[in-house]
Amino acid sequence: MENKDMSLVFKPMIIPFIFLYYTIESKKKKNPLHLLLLGLIFIADNINLLLETIFYQFAILIYLIVLVILFFLIVKDAKIINQNSKLSKYLGLLFIVAIAFALITKITSVFIVKTKFHSYYLILNYIVFFVGVLAMSFYNFIKFKSKSAKFLLLALGFMFLSDMLSVTKTYYLKYDVFVYLSMLLELPVYYFFAQFFIERDKNAEKIKE
């Protein structure tokens, strides 16, 4: 809002608190990708605080990478692909190639093709992967009734509502209440992500046993 200094003080504190909560509550061996996701979200959240258009593009790119990693995790959780198959072994590589392709296409559209499309390219990719993560989360929850899928669905649901309120305030209805509601709904997102990570760590240990 008008007091940007306050957001610069308090916003960067959220992810470190969630990281602390996750490391304390998860008694099992932690998946490095979970820690990477928290790190990426922390970077993207703080880039947004710089309030410059060019930085928004970087932030969206990082959030897109977060969604790609999430999609990779829940595809593995879905057990659609045989764990011992060749495709399963190279699944991580396929997602790295997908991220690299997205980056190359973005750079090409900005510096070589120079079309207006590059302004919407990341957002379109973000929407596609968000819908993909949401669909796979529903699939996992319906098929396995897993707690991890439930927590991810809750996180995505609150994230969607928070974003919609923020967009409504920015482009349609200039009421400050939408900003406060958006911030309020954003807080449970981090908590549910932490719970998602904790449950995945538990499931990974059960599989090993």
Side-chain angles (χ1 to χ4, degrees):
M1 303 281 286
E2 286 75 15
N3 194 343
K4 294 179 178 63
D5 291 338
M6 189 175 291
S7 64
L8 287 169
V9 171
F10 289 103
K11 181 72 171 178
M13 294 170 62
I14 297 174
I15 293 297
F17 275 121
I18 292 297
F19 172 79
L20 186 63
Y21 171 78
Y22 169 51
T23 54
I24 292 172
E25 288 296 314
S26 182
K27 310 297 183 184
K28 309 298 181 182
K29 183 179 178 181
K30 292 158 188 64
N31 189 322
L33 285 178
H34 298 167
L35 301 174
L36 175 62
L37 285 171
L38 286 173
L40 289 173
I41 294 170
F42 177 78
I43 293 168
D45 280 355
N46 287 285
I47 285 176
N48 268 332
L49 294 176
L50 298 175
L51 299 174
E52 296 289 341
T53 303
I54 187 171
F55 292 122
Y56 289 146
Q57 292 280 316
F58 284 116
I60 293 172
L61 176 60
I62 295 171
Y63 287 132
L64 176 58
I65 293 171
V66 167
L67 284 176
V68 172
I69 295 172
L70 276 175
F71 191 73
F72 167 73
L73 292 177
I74 59 178
V75 165
K76 291 196 74 174
D77 291 346
K79 300 174 184 175
I80 297 172
I81 302 168
N82 192 320
Q83 198 167 9
N84 297 319
S85 67
K86 287 185 178 180
L87 182 58
S88 176
K89 293 177 182 177
Y90 295 111
L91 189 60
L93 180 62
L94 287 172
F95 277 92
I96 292 171
V97 170
I99 292 173
F101 177 77
L103 286 171
I104 292 168
T105 310
K106 172 64 178 174
I107 293 168
T108 302
S109 65
V110 174
F111 297 107
I112 299 176
V113 181
K114 294 182 180 179
T115 63
K116 290 183 179 180
F117 176 69
H118 74 79
S119 300
Y120 309 101
Y121 175 76
L122 288 177
I123 296 172
L124 288 172
N125 277 273
Y126 181 90
I127 292 169
V128 169
F129 272 98
F130 185 90
V131 171
V133 170
L134 189 63
M136 287 302 300
S137 298
F138 270 114
Y139 173 83
N140 284 353
F141 180 70
I142 293 169
K143 184 173 181 179
F144 303 107
K145 301 293 189 295
S146 64
K147 288 184 179 180
S148 60
K150 179 185 75 174
F151 285 125
L152 184 57
L153 278 174
L154 286 169
L156 294 172
F158 276 96
M159 184 192 298
F160 177 78
L161 292 173
S162 176
D163 287 348
M164 287 299 99
L165 286 169
S166 180
V167 168
T168 301
K169 165 67 169 68
T170 304
Y171 297 105
Y172 302 105
L173 302 173
K174 305 297 182 179
Y175 297 119
D176 290 344
V177 66
F178 290 117
V179 177
Y180 292 117
L181 287 173
S182 176
M183 290 188 292
L184 188 64
L185 289 172
E186 188 180 2
L187 290 174
V189 173
Y190 301 103
Y191 169 75
F192 288 130
F193 269 129
Q195 292 295 335
F196 167 67
F197 297 150
I198 291 168
E199 291 300 324
R200 287 196 82 256
D201 289 341
K202 289 179 183 176
N203 293 336
E205 286 295 321
K206 288 178 183 176
I207 291 170
K208 287 180 182 178
E209 291 171 2

